[in-house]
Amino acid sequence: KAGVTQTPRYLIKTRGQQVTLSCSPISGHRSVSWYQQTPGQGLQFLFEYFSETQRNKGNFPGRFSGRQFSNSRSEMNVSTLELGDSALYLCASTDRDRELFFGEGSRLTVL
Amino acid sequence: AQKITQTQPGMFVQEKEAVTLDCTYDTSDPSYGLFWYKQPSSGEMIFLIYQGSHDQQNATEGRYSLNFQKARKSANLVISASQLGDSAMYFCAMRLQGAQKLVFGQGTRLTINP
């Protein structure tokens, strides 16, 4: 089975721009969640989708949004980028109430 | 609220030695799962081992074992016969039963010296 695939792996944006990150889960996994990792705040939960519905959301401003498609692929969007949004964004998928399987992440740099 | 504490920011170990990475957790929920992940410099979070709160025995996966002490709320990871490839960040995490998110600790950077 292919693992979780995230694109793009690296990207550079400037303040005020927006960005869309993509995640393809492991085949058969219907739950996809997103995490932000920064040196200062560590790993923080953004949101989780299951069967195209957002089930849970972390404590992030409304500039952070996401969606899930019928094939379970997910995207997250960050609008009006700020310097503090520079981070590694990790996507994870699962098919049960146990371990999450993560992708390699999308490393965003905001200049 | 749930919290995971990893008190060792960094550890240095000689190759082939065993190493214990500490993790304590805090929750009032009776049902939860505890996880350890490894993150090499590439960024990917690699699942290592899982322990359920109601599991009677400590979990083991190859060279990884989890020393689960429920009364002390600790879930230490033990790596036996360490290898150079074990050098990475290690994260302890918790997930409440039915919840959709993992709560992570701050991580421990493990360096294996030849």
Side-chain angles (χ1 to χ4, degrees), chain A residues 30-46:
Chain A
R30 292 193 293 168
S31 170
V32 175
S33 52
W34 290 88
Y35 292 79
Q36 181 197 62
Q37 185 177 23
T38 60
Q41 299 298 315
L43 282 147
Q44 295 186 91
F45 171 77
L46 281 158

Side-chain angles (χ1 to χ4, degrees), chain B residues 3-76:
Chain B
K3 186 177 180 181
I4 295 284
T5 302
Q6 294 180 253
T7 58
Q8 305 154 312
M11 285 194 69
F12 295 85
V13 175
Q14 287 299 119
E15 190 180 7
K16 298 181 185 177
E17 288 184 350
V19 57
T20 298
L21 304 182
D22 295 341
C23 172
T24 58
Y25 60 93
D26 187 26
T27 181
S28 56
D29 198 290
S31 298
Y32 49 88
L34 296 160
F35 305 80
W36 278 92
Y37 283 87
K38 172 185 177 181
Q39 187 178 41
S41 56
S42 62
E44 182 182 5
M45 297 286 282
I46 301 168
F47 167 73
L48 296 178
I49 197 166
Y50 165 84
Q51 179 83 43
S53 60
H54 300 298
D55 292 345
Q56 295 300 310
Q57 294 186 325
N58 287 345
T60 60
E61 290 285 349
R63 294 188 299 115
Y64 305 107
S65 61
L66 201 152
N67 184 3
F68 181 45
Q69 298 187 44
K70 195 170 182 178
R72 298 179 61 183
K73 293 191 174 179
S74 73
N76 298 340

Side-chain angles (χ1 to χ4, degrees), chain A residues 9 33 35 37 40-43 45 48 55-56 88 90 94 96-104 107, chain B residues 35 37 39 41-47 50 61 91 95-106:
Chain A
R9 289 290 315 282
S33 52
Y35 292 79
Q37 185 177 23
Q41 299 298 315
L43 282 147
F45 171 77
E48 187 258 355
R55 291 199 296 189
N56 201 0
L88 179 67
L90 290 161
T94 186
R96 56 179 182 162
D97 192 24
R98 268 188 57 162
E99 66 269 24
L100 276 64
F101 296 92
F102 286 82
E104 292 185 291
R107 191 170 296 276
Chain B
F35 305 80
Y37 283 87
Q39 187 178 41
S41 56
S42 62
E44 182 182 5
M45 297 286 282
I46 301 168
F47 167 73
Y50 165 84
E61 290 285 349
F91 291 93
R95 183 180 184 184
L96 298 184
Q97 186 176 10
Q100 310 311 324
K101 69 174 185 179
L102 287 175
V103 175
F104 286 89
Q106 287 298 106

Side-chain angles (χ1 to χ4, degrees), chain B residues 8-21 79 82-84 86-90 108-114:
Chain B
Q8 305 154 312
M11 285 194 69
F12 295 85
V13 175
Q14 287 299 119
E15 190 180 7
K16 298 181 185 177
E17 288 184 350
V19 57
T20 298
L21 304 182
I79 306 174
S82 57
Q83 303 170 356
L84 295 179
D86 293 333
S87 294
M89 282 291 289
Y90 287 80
T108 295
R109 181 171 296 281
L110 176 64
T111 302
I112 307 298
N113 295 315

